[in-house]
Amino acid sequence: MKTAYIFQQQKLVVDENFQLPQVEVKATDLTIDHHVARHLEGDVPQGYQLVSMRELITQWSIAEFEQASRAVQLLEWQQNHQFCGRCGHKTERHAREFCMTCPSCQLRQYPRIQPCVITVITKGKDEVLLAKSIHRKDNVYGLIAGFVEVGETLEQAVARETAEEVGVTLKNIRYLASQPWPFPSNLMLAFQAEYDSGDIKIQEEEIKDAQFFNLNQLPDIPHKGSIAYKMIMHVAHGTPL
């Protein structure tokens, strides 16, 4: 018997105390350290429930969430690489490492992450730039974020995403921290920067609203556990990341 990460899309099977189930190991399971990962087949086991990964981040320790994050990303990677991207032949799981191999042309496909920059932008000593995405149905304001493009440095991505989404320029861009984020397979790279110049001009197809908020009068912000929350608390109260 092993502890199992059993997923259905971005939800995980846990009991009422957010604990993982114990299962008999199957040949098709993906083994990750001392756990196994699999997709849910059939109904949720009695006494268990499906809980969103976004909710679990508020219930689990950082280590527990990161382990689950790794499991869901590896499981999705395996499912999405059942066939060779070069010749179309069905792939096979490597016996000793996380790798999908093609028995026909020998192409090896390894798990990949998508680097994404996220930036907390301050103005003076008491203001922070927060934006509301058009995709959010609540009233939460978050930080400017976006994927790193081919050929960019991380700092260039920070400057470009900010200019594209809110139309301002930055100075003193500096790295803070990182967080794996399994939605679907991102690595969030946190930066802090200072406002330099320009008026806010939102990218309407991405941003509904963006403003500089006083650090003592913040709107609804992302939930605890997310790196966005930690970054905002870092500039507002000096809490460590």
Side-chain angles (χ1 to χ4, degrees):
M1 300 284 285
K2 283 195 174 184
T3 304
Y5 295 103
I6 305 176
F7 293 97
Q8 185 178 80
Q9 297 178 343
Q10 287 290 338
K11 294 183 177 182
L12 185 62
V13 173
V14 294
D15 66 16
E16 61 181 7
N17 297 314
F18 303 104
Q19 299 300 302
L20 299 167
Q22 295 281 322
V23 299
E24 295 283 352
V25 178
K26 298 180 180 180
T28 54
D29 285 342
L30 185 64
T31 301
I32 303 169
D33 298 328
H34 302 295
H35 301 71
V36 295
R38 66 175 67 153
H39 289 288
L40 178 65
E41 297 177 356
D43 297 329
V44 177
Q46 187 174 359
Y48 289 87
Q49 60 186 325
L50 282 168
V51 176
S52 166
M53 289 282 289
R54 292 181 186 272
E55 181 179 345
L56 289 172
I57 195 174
T58 67
Q59 302 293 330
W60 284 355
S61 68
I62 293 174
E64 287 173 325
F65 179 77
E66 287 181 350
Q67 179 78 343
S69 169
R70 184 167 183 248
V72 69
Q73 291 182 67
L74 287 170
L75 201 60
E76 289 299 308
W77 158 76
Q78 179 179 269
Q79 185 179 47
N80 294 337
H81 290 81
Q82 295 294 303
F83 295 90
C84 178
R86 178 189 288 162
C87 72
H89 198 281
K90 186 167 178 58
T91 56
E92 299 174 351
R93 251 177 25 191
H94 194 281
R96 296 181 303 279
E97 56 186 358
F98 294 119
C99 175
M100 299 298 284
T101 63
C102 177
S104 178
C105 71
Q106 282 71 56
L107 178 68
R108 292 189 172 197
Q109 300 178 89
Y110 291 91
R112 291 182 174 86
I113 57 170
Q114 302 172 84
C116 181
V117 292
I118 181 169
T119 311
V120 58
I121 301 164
T122 56
K123 185 178 182 181
K125 295 182 178 180
D126 58 1
E127 289 187 305
V128 63
L129 178 62
L130 301 175
K132 181 180 178 182
S133 169
I134 63 167
H135 304 293
R136 294 203 74 115
K137 296 179 181 179
D138 52 26
N139 202 38
V140 170
Y141 281 72
L143 302 176
I144 301 302
F147 292 106
V148 181
E149 294 186 352
V150 173
E152 279 187 321
T153 66
L154 299 177
E155 292 80 4
Q156 288 170 343
V158 167
R160 175 186 53 76
E161 282 291 340
T162 303
E164 288 177 356
E165 294 193 358
V166 292
V168 302
T169 62
L170 305 176
K171 61 183 179 182
N172 297 330
I173 299 171
R174 54 199 183 276
Y175 173 79
L176 291 177
S178 63
Q179 181 184 46
W181 195 243
F183 306 105
S185 188
N186 302 341
L187 177 63
M188 305 302 295
L189 300 150
F191 284 82
Q192 183 173 349
E194 298 172 20
Y195 165 83
D196 186 29
S197 64
D199 297 324
I200 293 177
K201 184 178 180 181
I202 62 172
Q203 185 181 24
E204 294 183 353
E205 60 267 30
E206 294 288 338
I207 304 295
K208 187 173 184 179
D209 183 41
Q211 303 176 40
F212 281 101
F213 290 89
N214 188 286
L215 290 170
N216 294 316
Q217 296 176 311
L218 294 173
D220 293 338
I221 61 174
H223 54 72
K224 291 182 180 180
S226 68
I227 199 166
Y229 176 87
K230 295 177 184 178
M231 293 166 69
I232 295 169
M233 291 299 100
H234 177 68
V235 298
H237 304 296
T239 54
L241 287 167

